[in-house]
Amino acid sequence: MKRYWHKRPLLIRQAIPGFAAPLSRDALFELAARDDVESRLVSHARNRWQLNHGPFDAGDLPPLTRKQWTLLVQGVNLHAPAIDALMQQFRFIPDARLDDVMISYATDGGGVGPHLDSYDVFLLQAHGKRRWRIGPQRDTTWRENVPLRILEHFEAQEEWVLEPGDMLYLPPGYAHDGIAQGECMTYSIGFRAPLEQEMLQNFLYYLAENVAELPFARHFAGRYADPEQPAVKHPAALPEAMIDTLISQLKRVRWGPKEVEDFLGRWLSEPKSHVFFDPPQKPLSTVRFAREASARGLTLSAKTQLLYRRNRYYVNGEPLEVPVNARPTLRRLADRRALKAGECAKFEQNDQEIVEILYDWYASGWLELGRDSKPGRKLRAVRKKAG
Ligand code: SIN
Ligand code: CO
């Protein structure tokens, strides 16, 4: 993080030694056919680019024998446990910044053209080979009349062919162009970086929406009054007193770290609009749930966002008051996204409150019984520049 994050690209040969794509091409195509999954198709023929948005039924995709097309599927971690397990390995970066895993499938010569992204990305080669050319682009003129953002004058400084298990980190704004050499699949582990203006705007919405509950609200209980108002000659003119009153009221609007934290916790843990949870069809009783948890452990659904700061917790957009004795367990669950059977065994004896919270989440599909014991192949620790 000190040397490369947001600073310079890094190629890591065999970041995951012996990596074999955990999701087949057909499984990816099945995801692209779903309407709760975001997918795009980019094709390039005779110097013409075409972009289509999914869902794509099997018949909508070009034949596999046709060259130069790419299918991009967003948020695969939400639907494929093996891809979620892979994403967990990137949690050396805070959850508040981690976005999703996008998978691209390309036929020979396929790619999305030279471009740059506003976010950091780890590009993990999952299947087949891809030639990446990258450079610190200065000229960011975009090609006109194409449906996707393609740099008009891309200049590459370095290039490599990546094989399964190799990974390339790119800081935001670093230009890149990846071209499939034969059929290939690439995983993009992507990050979220809201625009500063968007963050501010959303905080101001939050203040506006919550004005009644915030401490300064007591200053705003009354209604505008103007006992000093004289008779006027110019009725259309805005009264100065009204402007002054609002200015002095605005000076009473107070916010501090508590409000900022509350806003960020809710906002960042809010599920994306196309995320739907799958509650259990026949939920167990609370007692059976606690018993099963102490036998099998618990795992957060891949779709659940659980964030915290000190003693305040935020789950899927909602703030949560947590009783003191439940906090260590919840913190462990938030950081590890799972609880071992032994950790749940303690529930039965003492804390009913935590069982109630977790049972609620289980009944909403936010939490599942059991633990996935297959974490997949591990990312190799990188100490110095590899490759
Ligand atoms: C791809 O996987 O084809 C594109 C990924 C990217 O350039 O960000
Ligand atoms: Co890109």
Side-chain angles (χ1 to χ4, degrees), residues 219-220 224 240-254:
H219 298 298
F220 302 101
Y224 180 69
E240 288 305 315
M242 205 170 204
I243 292 171
D244 292 344
T245 306
L246 186 53
I247 290 174
S248 61
Q249 281 172 340
L250 279 170
K251 286 184 184 151
R252 292 175 145 161
V253 174
R254 290 276 175 279

